[in-house]
Amino acid sequence: PTALQPRRAMLVPSPARAAAAAAAAFVVNSAGADSSLLGIPGTWELKETRAGNLCMARAVFTQDPPGADEGRVTVSSPCFDTGSGAWRAVYTGDAPTFGWALDYERSTVLYSASRVEAARPGGTVKARGIIRAAKRSEPNKLAPVGTFEAQAKLPASASR
């Protein structure tokens, strides 16, 4: 592809589609890209800061079919309700990153990893990014609400 081009629509529950579309505008496909380099499928440990409050969370990413560049995610934390939604890998040259959208009763929350530090198999991949949210009644009014730092341990073997 030439410039940043949207790819096929992210599979997100209906109210989250508008928020997820914002992330899709940054997708560039890279031949041979592999989401396992992102620790996906897998579990990420997150440190979130929202409104100045620090909170720990866990995000579990799944793929169907294996090797896909998108799938389902569930985020749980003692600080907020468990949320489920969809994730999508983003490939810009050799710097893969990703984002995910969670659908709640009254809002949609979008996580965008703006920086990912790669790791070798058996190492720890790290990411940091921004959290945005919008009321379900106003999905086009996506606003920054916090930041996150995350990490995931890669399997020792590159094969899954």
Side-chain angles (χ1 to χ4, degrees), residues 4-75:
L4 296 178
Q5 298 175 340
R7 293 188 52 179
R8 62 194 149 146
M10 184 184 289
L11 302 174
V12 180
S14 181
R17 282 184 209 270
F26 299 103
V27 176
V28 175
N29 192 11
S30 177
D34 181 358
S35 61
S36 68
L37 299 172
L38 299 171
I40 297 173
T43 301
W44 280 75
E45 301 298 327
L46 285 77
K47 280 196 256 184
E48 296 188 16
T49 303
R50 293 193 203 186
N53 297 314
L54 177 64
C55 189
M56 305 304 287
R58 175 173 286 173
V60 177
F61 297 91
T62 60
Q63 291 173 304
D64 189 24
D69 64 356
E70 59 190 31
R72 303 293 301 160
V73 60
T74 300
V75 177

Side-chain angles (χ1 to χ4, degrees), residues 23-157:
F26 299 103
V27 176
V28 175
N29 192 11
S30 177
D34 181 358
S35 61
S36 68
L37 299 172
L38 299 171
I40 297 173
T43 301
W44 280 75
E45 301 298 327
L46 285 77
K47 280 196 256 184
E48 296 188 16
T49 303
R50 293 193 203 186
N53 297 314
L54 177 64
C55 189
M56 305 304 287
R58 175 173 286 173
V60 177
F61 297 91
T62 60
Q63 291 173 304
D64 189 24
D69 64 356
E70 59 190 31
R72 303 293 301 160
V73 60
T74 300
V75 177
S76 58
S77 171
C79 303
F80 51 84
D81 291 339
T82 296
S84 294
W87 67 268
R88 166 173 260 171
V90 178
Y91 304 100
T92 54
D94 60 0
T97 187
F98 62 106
W100 63 96
L102 303 177
D103 196 31
Y104 289 99
E105 183 178 336
R106 290 190 264 175
S107 65
T108 296
V109 180
L110 181 67
Y111 291 73
S112 299
S114 54
R115 181 174 171 206
V116 177
E117 296 177 24
R120 296 178 188 264
T124 301
V125 62
K126 298 177 182 179
R128 60 180 45 203
I130 190 164
I131 305 167
R132 295 178 179 92
K135 293 179 184 177
R136 284 179 64 150
S137 61
E138 301 175 301
N140 294 327
K141 293 189 177 180
L142 201 57
V145 295
T147 60
F148 71 92
E149 294 182 12
Q151 63 182 26
K153 180 84 169 160
L154 295 178
S157 167

